Amino acid sequence: MTTTTSPDTFPNGFLWGGATAANQIEGAYSEGGKGLSIQDVMPHGIKTPPTDGPTPDNLKLEAIDFYHRYAEDIALFAEMGFTVFRFSIAWSRIFPCGDEETPNEEGLVFYDRVLDELEKHGIEPLVTISHYETPLHLARNYGGWMSRELIGFYERYCRVLFERYGERVKYWLTFNEINSVLHFPLMSGGILTPKDQLSQQDLYQAVHHELVASARATRLAREIMPTAQVGCMILAMPVYPLTPDPADVVATMHTAHDSYAFGDIHCRGQYPGYLLRRFRENGIELEITDQDREDLTHTVDFVSFSYYMSSCETGDPARKVTSAGNLLGGTPNPTLQASEWGWQIDPQGLRVVMNDYWERWQKPLFIVENGLGAVDELVEVDGTKTVVDDYRIGYLNDHLVQAREAVADGVELLGYTTWGCIDLVSASTAQLSKRYGFIYVDRNDDGTGTLQRYRKKSFDWYRQVIATNGGSLQ
Ligand code: BG6
């Protein structure tokens, strides 16, 4: 395990908890008046085309049944001492098709209940408004975020959420990993056109619509909930040059711009020069209205991000490899080990990315995803079923130590939510065997299992970390 060089600890009031997304935990895909979302037709993750409708092999249709078991699950989070819980609201529970005038009351009531439960345990909610869950109707009938009309539908959805939950929810995230739309237009942008048939023009127009929608949500939040904090959410993956060759360094800069652009726009309120240049040189002419420009000036209060891994970049096509990774992948770093799913593990990269974002944007940061997807084995220890997940403890410990280093470097960090604090369905592969949780859920890739919950060894470890505000880290 990495050792810390700093005695500093996390700030007082630091928010500790875990993160999830509706489509990966709730199940009940057709209950409570919910409409279909794109996830309901993505049974095998991001690598295969969508199906015509829900199919029995789609684990997300039942997921881990949080829809019916939320009280039990939140009680377990409370037992670990969570002070924050990140979850997303399923857009298609509130607006089943996405383009209706009035919301579905039953869907709103479900989240009232979730918030009641969190309040009961003194856990602060952190709400993602859109986490890879575009209503399917919007994908099929409007072309997803390629259509400007989605800005209005999203704004209406946000208004409903802010008016209903505004007094109870302080922290909001507009779009999960918004930069991933460049790589996975279906999951992130509700665009059914296969990526290889999608023009850069249409893709960047969709990006633009999401960015405007995000900015409008921020403005609306300030009108309706003056004390709310709105953040963007970026898939953070630091890119290192594969060699000291300046050509590798320049290639690295270009790749890094793909992600920076989203933070730059959210934090500075306008398109950066390097992106305008890319548009010019590739014949991309976006429709950007004066109103859009004004909307974009409503910048976020904080920057949240997911961090799992880093990657390398090279200017030499012969050396470029796209390995497995958190959606983006990249050329493997010869100095790092990878997880069972090929994601390169790099705790120090977290410190690097935190310093980098802080220096670039000067906005408080929030780590809203970090964790290790691994195969777990349920075993019996002293008569109790558990998972001895020392590998997960090691991963989280080492990342938290580096987060603490970044705090000691002067980075302002609001909180930390581990990804998949309870086992859930994987976004990229749609498996349940890729487990992240402190809580084991008895459900297998073939759909069998009792759905019963079990505390893993990491459950007690995290409780201790929270109780000591990070003091127990090694
Ligand atoms: C992030 C997503 O990309 O990584 C989550 O925001 C996802 O939805 C997480 O689950 C881990 O990825 P995966 O593919 O292992 O589920």
Side-chain angles (χ1 to χ4, degrees):
M1 287 186 187
T2 330
T3 50
T4 177
T5 54
S6 163
D8 295 17
T9 187
F10 291 93
N12 287 335
F14 187 76
L15 293 167
W16 290 99
T20 58
N23 72 90
Q24 295 173 262
I25 59 167
E26 284 180 7
Y29 80 102
S30 63
E31 279 181 56
K34 180 181 168 295
L36 294 179
S37 92
I38 52 164
Q39 293 291 344
D40 298 322
V41 296
M42 293 177 68
H44 304 299
I46 52 176
K47 294 274 160 68
T48 53
T51 47
D52 290 338
T55 49
D57 56 348
N58 188 344
L59 288 176
K60 284 170 272 189
L61 304 184
E62 192 183 7
I64 58 157
D65 197 32
F66 180 81
Y67 188 77
H68 298 110
R69 297 166 193 250
Y70 60 93
E72 178 193 346
D73 292 341
I74 291 170
L76 286 166
F77 302 154
E79 197 181 316
M80 276 185 277
F82 279 23
T83 50
V84 64
F85 174 52
R86 175 181 174 222
F87 63 99
S88 72
I89 292 182
W91 189 346
S92 59
R93 269 194 204 289
I94 310 302
F95 287 100
C97 290
D99 59 358
E100 297 92 336
E101 296 278 334
T102 47
N104 167 35
E105 180 58 24
E106 234 185 309
L108 288 165
V109 167
F110 170 64
Y111 296 105
D112 282 337
R113 294 197 178 124
V114 170
L115 291 172
D116 288 345
E117 216 56 39
L118 291 173
E119 223 163 83
K120 192 165 110 190
H121 293 288
I123 300 176
E124 184 93 46
L126 166 61
V127 171
T128 316
I129 298 168
S130 179
H131 191 129
Y132 297 154
E133 294 148 339
T134 308
L136 185 59
H137 175 80
L138 298 183
R140 284 193 175 145
N141 297 283
Y142 294 86
W145 280 97
M146 287 194 292
S147 165
R148 180 171 278 277
E149 282 185 274
L150 263 75
I151 301 175
F153 300 147
Y154 179 85
E155 195 174 359
R156 186 185 298 155
Y157 165 52
C158 288
R159 179 177 289 281
V160 166
L161 301 188
F162 297 164
E163 287 176 348
R164 178 81 167 218
Y165 309 125
E167 293 191 352
R168 316 175 75 185
V169 179
K170 179 175 173 192
Y171 296 99
W172 298 86
L173 306 180
T174 52
F175 288 94
N176 183 59
E177 298 188 331
I178 187 164
N179 48 323
S180 65
V181 66
L182 291 180
H183 310 273
F184 294 94
L186 169 58
M187 190 162 76
S188 194
I191 299 170
L192 288 163
T193 312
K195 194 176 167 216
D196 54 3
Q197 291 164 34
L198 187 64
S199 69
Q200 289 290 297
Q201 169 75 36
D202 287 345
L203 180 57
Y204 273 105
Q205 190 66 52
V207 166
H208 176 70
H209 294 151
E210 282 200 40
L211 287 165
V212 170
S214 179
R216 282 209 200 169
T218 307
R219 181 175 54 192
L220 190 65
R222 294 209 174 105
E223 277 168 33
I224 299 177
M225 317 173 289
T227 57
Q229 295 282 299
V230 182
C232 56
M233 195 311 201
I234 294 173
L235 188 168
M237 191 187 294
V239 211
Y240 308 138
L242 187 61
T243 72
D245 180 345
D248 283 1
V249 178
V250 172
T252 301
M253 177 187 80
H254 288 311
T255 298
H257 280 163
D258 278 349
S259 298
Y260 280 150
F262 290 82
D264 286 350
I265 296 165
H266 272 104
C267 295
R268 298 176 179 153
Q270 57 183 359
Y271 277 83
Y274 57 83
L275 191 54
L276 295 175
R277 176 177 182 178
R278 190 179 295 181
F279 292 165
R280 271 196 314 274
E281 292 181 350
N282 290 285
I284 298 169
E285 289 183 23
L286 298 189
E287 183 200 61
I288 303 179
T289 65
D290 289 343
Q291 182 61 52
D292 291 350
R293 282 184 228 283
E294 200 284 321
D295 288 338
L296 290 177
T297 63
H298 296 270
T299 55
V300 288
D301 299 301
F302 67 97
V303 172
S304 76
F305 63 93
S306 60
Y307 178 81
Y308 296 88
M309 58 175 289
S310 62
S311 71
C312 289
E313 188 51 281
T314 168
D316 175 5
R319 301 190 70 196
K320 196 172 164 76
V321 184
T322 301
S323 67
N326 183 20
L327 305 183
L328 310 186
T331 302
N333 185 328
T335 70
L336 297 177
Q337 303 288 316
S339 77
E340 286 167 278
W341 272 263
W343 297 21
Q344 304 243 305
I345 301 171
D346 178 13
Q348 292 182 90
L350 177 57
R351 179 179 180 184
V352 171
V353 93
M354 288 173 69
N355 274 275
D356 191 28
Y357 282 6
W358 171 248
E359 285 158 16
R360 193 173 179 100
W361 298 315
Q362 293 283 298
K363 301 260 187 195
L365 303 181
F366 206 137
I367 304 169
V368 296
E369 285 187 34
N370 175 235
L372 179 70
V375 173
D376 286 339
E377 195 195 344
L378 197 60
V379 294
E380 205 155 301
V381 176
D382 300 331
T384 306
K385 282 192 176 164
T386 185
V387 175
V388 185
D389 53 348
D390 291 312
Y391 38 91
R392 182 167 296 110
I393 293 172
Y395 177 102
L396 294 172
N397 179 84
D398 293 354
H399 283 77
L400 276 167
V401 164
Q402 293 301 323
R404 189 169 64 184
E405 291 293 319
V407 170
D409 293 333
V411 174
E412 191 177 337
L413 183 64
L414 298 173
Y416 175 83
T417 57
T418 64
W419 177 249
C421 45
I422 179 164
D423 290 347
L424 40 65
V425 184
S426 151
S428 59
T429 63
Q431 295 167 293
L432 241 155
S433 53
K434 189 178 188 189
R435 298 174 181 275
Y436 285 87
F438 302 116
I439 300 161
Y440 182 93
V441 178
D442 180 19
R443 190 163 191 229
N444 308 307
D445 286 346
D446 61 6
T448 58
T450 60
L451 288 169
Q452 199 170 324
R453 276 67 168 149
Y454 298 94
R455 294 166 188 79
K456 301 183 192 175
K457 184 175 177 186
S458 55
F459 185 100
D460 281 329
W461 171 83
Y462 198 43
R463 179 168 51 190
Q464 191 60 20
V465 171
I466 297 175
T468 58
N469 200 28
S472 63
L473 295 168
Q474 292 178 4

